[in-house]
Amino acid sequence: MISLTLLFLLGIFSTFSASIKVHTAGPRLNNDKVYKYAYTSEVLIDKPNGSLEDSVGYKISSDVEVNLVWRNPTNKDDQLVKIVMKNIKVENINIRPQGQNVFTETNAAKLLGDTNLNILQRPILVQWTNGKVKTLYLYQNEPTVLVNIKRGLASLFQIQLIPGTVTEVDVSGNCKVTYKAKQNQVTKIKELESCRISKTGFTNSNKVLGISNKLTSSTVYHMEDDNIKYVLAEENHVLILNVYEDISAKVTCRQKLELKSSEVGPKEVAGKQLSNVVKAVDPKYIATPLVADQIKSECKSCPLLLQQWKAIRKDLEPENLSKASAARSFLQLIQSLRRTKKSDIVALLKSEKENVLPQLVDAVTFAQTPDALDALLEFLDFENGTRPLLQERFLYATGLASHPNESMLRVLLDKYKGKIANDEIRETVVIIIGALMKKLQQATGSELPAVLEAKKLILDGLQNADKPSEVKMYLLALKNANLPEGIPMLLKYSESGEGPVSSIAISALQKYHVSYITDEVKKVMNRIYHQNYKIHEKTVRTAAADIILNSKPTYMEIKNLLLSIGELPLEMSKYMLSVFQDILQFEMPASKLIRQVLKDMRVHNYDRFSKTGSSSAYSGYVTRGPASSVTYSLDILYSGSGILRRSNMDTFVYSKNTELHAIQVVIEAQGLESLIAATADEGEEDLESFAGMSAILFDVQLRPVTFFQGYSDLMSKMFSATGAPISVVKGLVLLTDHSETIQLQSGLQVSAEFQGGLAIDISGGMDFSLWYRESKTSVNNRGAMVIVGNITIDSEFANAGMESRLETESSFNFITTVKFSSYPFLVCMQMDKGTFPMRRYVTKYERSSYGKSYVSRKGKVQNVAGSELPLHQENSNMCRVVFGEQEDSTDSWF
């Protein structure tokens, strides 16, 4: 039985050996023979679904001669091999009409230069052991781009005949590869994501605004008589902007090595040690790593900073900030600033006028280079209290930075320890420290010294704060930082703090992931909502209900919330009823459990669900697609007297299972009942007159803005009011910022850069008329956005590339009109999305080192019709009454 088993196993082994037809662990070259191959290396750039005819790129072709120089006397599979490229050509891949073929009617000597051509044709020596390239021997100080091309060719000889997964070094780096063997064919699958190689670059801290990569690499070897007959290799790199897939690119690299013939060659060199043999061949050869080196490229044709600024300055003047040209010029300026030294940046800042300085400060901050940061610190003086607007713009841009580093956080910590003349700037510094700390933790996954110091500053500051203003400042910082360690203190201030403090603390809890909302947190939220220990303001109670409903609520939690409807003040009852209806309509996670609870008729009855009022909550889609979606939500809560208590507008962007809180604008008002001789709601009798606005921009909480505080301030502003909105956020934001170098297996390198710029203006206002017994609140969002994706292959002697660009300008307004001349008072809410243009451009090009070029430009322009975003039917009915409309219109919501 045992002998039969052994025979069976031997049969399997012999079948496998016969299928590969080789008795060694790797290929062997025959003595005294030269193997002549034809070699081509292609690189193509296009859109992911583009055709070959529309792509740009080029190919390098040559004859390749391979021969054995030396074989280890003690190991026949340890060989020194010489590889020589001859008859090198650089050619077009696509043949175009006459005059558009960049690389025809030229030769390699003209493109490369005689010196570089000779270097590229200089032989490569390779220690080839069991099919693995152990050592590469080249001359010292050869140009990096040429050395990498040689590495790309040598890496094709990296092969393993036995199936399995191994870690292997080649031109792409140290990579995980899987070999499969079938008959005379070996297939190598390289996991490009696993490749470890030194490279420069950065990407967005938030995935929604970042780039997704899809990478594939496959090499097929055909073996014959212990040797490589041909090799076919292909790798693909697809880069896609997560939030908008039209901004995308695909880079394809193909290599082919095919044996054409073999003939008698030089005799094998005798010797026992490899090092001595290499010296005997040519003492100038030195061992060189097989992994590619980074190519340092400089933009030779790029304008200097001052030239760039003069060309775009007009686009960045305040009156032009809502145009796409502003965002486009902003991106160009950032690129220029990243190449500029500190002294030149300082000189430009000091020479400019006040009307464009805020925009210039935005650009310098978003450049995110050490020189740019040092220039701003020299230019902005936090100690003398002057130019608070510029200091605030610097701080907000720092908080919104796409890829911040520890030095930026360290600067803010040092500023906080020093003297800051302006109290509002000091508050903003602390708030932005929280935002930077969170981004650095997400990016590095570790706690840097500056992050630990920032954490201590926020937690200790909140623990020891005495003044309400300081408590609010540290709470806002904690809201940005999202520290799990801060949750106990947030619970404390949520439940025991005064109105504004409690409101901020509970809004900070709303920013935590549901995994941090434990049973203990929900117990506190239930106590606040149901007022078990003390009376709370409606704004705090409804925020507590929001946390419960968005954090995997239990059956009893939902039931108790529903049972409370009818026992609450009228407007709060109406608001909570609207919240539940919105969850059901929008199919939020809690909707399934809510439907189960509603089967209980003690909960779901006419008395509870027929409550009247004007408060409401509504959610909907701005856009919805397979790759990304944008939602909006509008919550509005009134006091029993008809005066606005809180208006909350949110916009979220979802992509790749990640969300981005793009915009939140909250308007709050309190203590205004005395103006119309009305009675305040329970628990709100002694509130100070106040109205203000708070904003979140791209997940960063900004410092709140106060419209008025106190009765005297209110009356002063009422009589001096112009009706003009107050600016909350105005400036330039770098949304997307991705830069990487892609190392191709042919040895060439691709530069990929994606940038998205936003010019934004968010303003809000509140008009109050005693004469007309009417109030109006407005939130106006205007902006322009430009996103650019650039893919470039630059080999110094030839380059090719593609630029994809999207441009748009838009407006998004929310207006609430309240007429409180009678009860029930009339409320009309309007959310308008203005008509906006969408302009898309794709430019592809090829250029040779001697100036010949090919350029293809395509564009598409369309206007997207504006619309009034739908809200609930009750609002539509109320708007007809408010604006005196007598007839229904099928063409509008009202």
Side-chain angles (χ1 to χ4, degrees):
M1 185 68 180
I2 294 173
S3 61
L4 285 173
T5 304
L6 287 171
L7 284 170
F8 176 70
L9 292 172
L10 284 169
I12 292 175
F13 179 75
S14 61
T15 301
F16 173 76
S17 299
S19 70
I20 215 74
K21 290 187 179 178
V22 56
H23 57 273
T24 65
R28 287 183 185 176
L29 295 181
N30 292 331
N31 300 340
D32 307 333
K33 252 189 178 184
V34 173
Y35 297 86
K36 296 194 172 185
Y37 291 87
Y39 174 62
T40 58
S41 168
E42 299 179 351
V43 60
L44 294 164
I45 296 176
D46 202 355
K47 305 290 281 184
N49 296 321
S51 63
L52 177 64
E53 294 76 19
D54 290 333
S55 62
V56 289
Y58 53 86
K59 67 179 177 181
I60 300 171
S61 62
S62 73
D63 297 329
V64 172
E65 294 184 358
V66 180
N67 69 275
L68 179 70
V69 176
W70 169 84
R71 194 187 304 276
N72 191 333
T74 61
N75 180 4
K76 298 298 182 182
D77 291 311
D78 184 16
Q79 308 159 89
L80 182 65
V81 176
K82 182 167 76 173
I83 304 172
V84 187
M85 296 178 71
K86 294 183 175 182
N87 302 318
I88 296 170
K89 298 176 184 176
V90 181
E91 301 171 293
N92 282 88
I93 296 173
N94 291 323
I95 302 302
R96 303 189 180 91
Q98 192 172 4
Q100 296 183 14
N101 294 306
V102 175
F103 303 108
T104 56
E105 300 176 4
T106 186
N107 54 55
K110 186 175 180 182
L111 286 168
L112 293 162
D114 291 333
T115 301
N116 284 340
L117 180 60
N118 290 333
I119 291 172
L120 194 55
Q121 293 183 147
R122 186 179 292 151
I124 309 166
L125 295 184
V126 171
Q127 183 188 5
W128 203 25
T129 307
N130 296 324
K132 301 291 185 177
V133 177
K134 294 293 185 182
T135 314
L136 180 68
Y137 295 93
L138 300 171
Y139 273 34
Q140 198 169 10
N141 298 324
E142 291 184 345
T144 303
V145 66
L146 303 182
V147 171
N148 285 347
I149 290 173
K150 291 182 178 183
R151 286 168 166 147
L153 173 58
S155 294
L156 286 180
F157 290 83
Q158 196 77 286
I159 184 175
Q160 176 176 303
L161 302 181
I162 300 172
T165 299
V166 296
T167 300
E168 192 174 84
V169 175
D170 66 7
V171 65
S172 303
N174 195 330
C175 309
K176 184 179 178 181
V177 297
T178 299
Y179 284 95
K180 298 176 182 179
K182 183 180 180 182
Q183 295 183 351
N184 293 327
Q185 182 175 296
V186 175
T187 302
K188 176 166 69 173
I189 306 296
K190 187 192 302 182
E191 295 182 19
L192 292 172
E193 301 92 339
S194 70
C195 294
R196 297 195 303 274
I197 185 171
S198 176
K199 61 169 83 172
T200 58
F202 45 80
T203 192
N204 277 66
S205 55
N206 187 287
K207 290 182 181 178
V208 173
L209 299 171
I211 303 297
S212 289
N213 295 57
K214 297 177 183 177
L215 315 176
T216 60
S217 173
S218 175
T219 305
V220 177
Y221 295 86
H222 188 82
M223 309 299 296
E224 189 175 88
D225 298 330
D226 293 355
N227 214 331
I228 297 171
K229 185 176 182 181
Y230 68 76
V231 185
L232 294 174
E234 180 172 323
E235 68 174 321
N236 293 286
H237 297 257
V238 178
L239 297 94
I240 300 173
L241 179 65
N242 292 332
V243 75
Y244 188 72
E245 291 194 343
D246 268 15
I247 302 296
S248 58
K250 180 180 180 181
V251 181
T252 299
C253 174
R254 298 191 185 102
Q255 289 172 282
K256 181 178 180 182
L257 184 69
E258 185 176 8
L259 181 64
K260 293 299 183 180
S261 64
S262 62
E263 60 185 46
V264 177
K267 291 185 178 182
E268 180 183 336
V269 175
K272 291 185 178 181
Q273 292 202 353
L274 176 64
S275 56
N276 294 333
V277 173
V278 172
K279 284 182 181 179
V281 173
D282 190 335
K284 292 181 181 177
Y285 278 109
I286 61 166
T288 305
L290 190 56
V291 178
D293 289 326
Q294 187 78 25
I295 297 173
K296 296 179 181 179
S297 58
E298 293 184 5
C299 186
K300 297 173 184 176
S301 59
C302 293
L304 297 174
L305 175 62
L306 195 56
Q307 294 172 322
Q308 184 78 64
W309 177 246
K310 286 179 180 178
I312 65 171
R313 185 186 185 281
K314 188 173 180 59
D315 293 332
L316 298 183
E317 291 178 353
E319 60 270 20
N320 296 322
L321 281 184
S322 61
K323 299 177 182 177
S325 58
R328 186 168 60 246
S329 295
F330 170 59
L331 296 181
Q332 292 170 357
L333 182 58
I334 286 174
Q335 293 285 8
S336 184
L337 285 162
R338 286 176 173 171
R339 299 187 297 268
T340 306
K341 58 186 181 182
K342 172 189 169 182
S343 58
D344 292 337
I345 298 173
V346 172
L348 179 59
L349 286 166
K350 289 182 176 179
S351 68
E352 265 310 332
K353 297 178 181 178
E354 293 294 326
N355 66 327
V356 292
L357 266 176
Q359 291 75 260
L360 184 55
V361 167
D362 288 340
V364 175
T365 309
F366 279 113
Q368 298 171 80
T369 64
D371 280 293
L373 182 60
D374 290 344
L376 282 167
L377 294 176
E378 182 176 320
F379 177 68
L380 297 173
D381 189 350
F382 284 77
E383 295 185 7
N384 65 13
T386 59
R387 290 179 161 171
L389 172 62
L390 298 183
Q391 293 168 12
E392 187 176 64
R393 293 283 278 263
F394 160 68
L395 292 170
Y396 284 160
T398 301
L400 294 165
S402 54
H403 54 278
N405 54 44
E406 189 180 11
S407 63
M408 295 174 75
L409 179 57
R410 175 60 60 194
V411 162
L412 296 192
L413 290 168
D414 291 343
K415 288 296 175 190
Y416 175 77
K417 294 175 192 172
K419 179 185 175 184
I420 301 176
N422 187 297
D423 289 339
E424 290 182 347
I425 295 300
R426 181 177 180 274
E427 182 182 347
T428 306
V429 167
V430 176
I431 293 170
I432 298 304
I433 282 174
L436 270 186
M437 197 201 78
K438 178 184 175 183
K439 287 190 175 186
L440 284 172
Q441 278 188 312
Q442 288 176 336
T444 63
S446 60
E447 299 205 330
L448 302 167
V451 169
L452 292 172
E453 186 176 335
K455 184 186 291 188
K456 189 174 188 302
L457 167 70
I458 294 169
L459 295 176
D460 289 356
L462 183 57
Q463 186 79 44
N464 302 320
D466 296 324
K467 300 177 183 177
S469 60
E470 288 197 345
V471 172
K472 288 188 279 187
M473 175 181 73
Y474 287 114
L475 284 173
L476 290 167
L478 185 54
K479 182 177 180 179
N480 273 335
N482 239 203
L483 293 173
E485 302 95 317
I487 289 177
M489 280 190 282
L490 291 176
L491 292 176
K492 167 191 161 186
Y493 283 109
S494 294
E495 191 166 23
S496 61
E498 295 303 316
V501 168
S502 180
S503 182
I504 294 172
I506 213 162
S507 73
L509 283 168
Q510 287 175 300
K511 294 289 289 179
Y512 281 84
H513 188 268
V514 65
S515 59
Y516 292 107
I517 307 302
T518 61
D519 289 341
E520 180 59 34
V521 174
K522 287 205 284 182
K523 281 180 186 177
V524 176
M525 294 302 106
N526 277 290
R527 289 201 300 263
I528 291 171
Y529 178 81
H530 296 290
Q531 301 191 117
N532 297 133
Y533 291 170
K534 61 176 284 191
I535 293 174
H536 294 276
E537 294 178 25
K538 292 193 295 293
T539 53
V540 174
R541 295 178 69 189
T542 53
D546 177 77
I547 290 175
I548 295 167
L549 289 169
N550 286 291
S551 305
K552 299 178 181 177
T554 65
Y555 182 93
M556 285 308 300
E557 283 173 337
I558 291 176
K559 184 174 181 178
N560 288 334
L561 289 173
L562 282 165
L563 287 171
S564 71
I565 297 174
E567 308 300 324
L568 305 168
L570 277 176
E571 284 300 325
M572 188 172 170
S573 283
K574 177 61 178 175
Y575 176 82
M576 288 303 300
L577 180 60
S578 188
V579 166
F580 279 102
Q581 290 170 338
D582 187 46
I583 291 172
L584 293 172
Q585 178 263 334
F586 208 62
E587 293 291 340
M588 295 180 192
S591 59
K592 187 175 180 180
L593 195 53
I594 291 172
R595 286 191 173 92
Q596 291 181 23
V597 176
L598 289 176
K599 292 177 182 178
D600 185 343
M601 296 309 295
R602 288 171 298 178
V603 175
H604 191 192
N605 57 60
Y606 179 79
D607 178 62
R608 185 164 284 110
F609 279 77
S610 62
K611 300 301 178 184
T612 60
S614 301
S615 300
S616 64
Y618 189 86
S619 301
Y621 285 99
V622 179
T623 61
R624 191 177 188 181
S628 63
S629 299
V630 181
T631 65
Y632 69 92
S633 63
L634 176 60
D635 300 348
I636 191 160
L637 177 65
Y638 291 96
S639 67
S641 58
I643 295 176
L644 175 75
R645 276 298 271 118
R646 186 188 66 220
S647 162
N648 185 354
M649 185 184 75
D650 285 286
T651 303
F652 283 88
V653 184
Y654 298 90
S655 180
K656 303 296 179 185
N657 299 317
T658 309
E659 73 172 29
L660 172 65
H661 199 171
I663 296 175
Q664 181 189 76
V665 180
V666 179
I667 296 178
E668 289 198 55
Q670 64 180 38
L672 304 181
E673 284 76 13
S674 60
L675 293 174
I676 56 172
T679 303
D681 293 338
E682 180 189 20
E684 300 182 356
E685 298 87 352
D686 300 322
L687 294 179
E688 182 184 34
S689 298
F690 166 83
M693 180 183 287
S694 173
I696 290 174
L697 185 62
F698 301 113
D699 269 337
V700 176
Q701 170 70 54
L702 309 182
R703 183 177 56 81
V705 175
T706 299
F707 296 154
F708 59 80
Q709 186 160 6
Y711 187 77
S712 59
D713 189 25
L714 165 62
M715 299 310 294
S716 169
K717 292 198 172 147
M718 279 183 66
F719 288 114
S720 62
T722 63
I726 296 176
S727 177
V728 181
V729 180
K730 190 171 187 176
L732 298 159
V733 180
L734 187 61
L735 291 177
T736 295
D737 196 16
H738 177 92
S739 176
E740 69 171 303
T741 300
I742 300 170
Q743 179 58 56
L744 301 178
Q745 59 193 21
S746 65
L748 295 176
Q749 288 180 1
V750 172
S751 171
E753 292 194 353
F754 291 79
Q755 284 191 312
L758 176 70
I760 192 169
D761 184 357
I762 301 177
S763 59
M766 184 174 181
D767 290 336
F768 196 91
S769 172
L770 288 175
W771 183 261
Y772 293 104
R773 298 180 73 79
E774 177 183 285
S775 71
K776 183 175 285 189
T777 58
S778 63
V779 177
N780 307 311
N781 300 279
R782 296 169 63 233
M785 182 175 66
V786 173
I787 303 175
V788 180
N790 266 305
I791 306 292
T792 307
I793 317 157
D794 190 351
S795 57
E796 297 181 6
F797 55 86
N799 62 53
M802 180 179 73
E803 179 188 274
S804 303
R805 189 167 82 249
L806 167 72
E807 297 183 355
T808 186
E809 300 161 5
S810 64
S811 63
F812 189 77
N813 303 314
F814 164 50
I815 301 169
T816 305
T817 305
V818 182
K819 290 195 173 184
F820 47 87
S821 53
S822 61
Y823 192 86
F825 42 86
L826 304 177
V827 180
C828 173
M829 294 178 291
Q830 298 165 278
M831 294 185 73
D832 295 323
K833 182 175 66 173
T835 298
F836 60 94
M838 288 275 285
R839 298 185 286 269
R840 285 165 283 187
Y841 306 98
V842 177
T843 303
K844 301 174 187 176
Y845 61 88
E846 295 170 352
R847 296 191 186 99
S848 66
S849 57
Y850 60 90
K852 195 172 181 181
S853 64
Y854 161 79
V855 180
S856 166
R857 293 186 178 93
K858 293 181 181 179
K860 184 178 180 180
V861 180
Q862 67 181 114
N863 279 328
V864 180
S867 63
E868 191 157 326
L869 296 177
L871 297 172
H872 45 80
Q873 186 59 43
E874 288 180 17
N875 180 67
S876 302
N877 298 336
M878 194 80 76
C879 287
R880 292 192 188 99
V881 178
V882 169
F883 294 111
E885 294 182 3
Q886 300 300 317
E887 298 179 358
D888 289 337
S889 170
T890 58
D891 295 327
S892 72
W893 288 99
F894 302 130

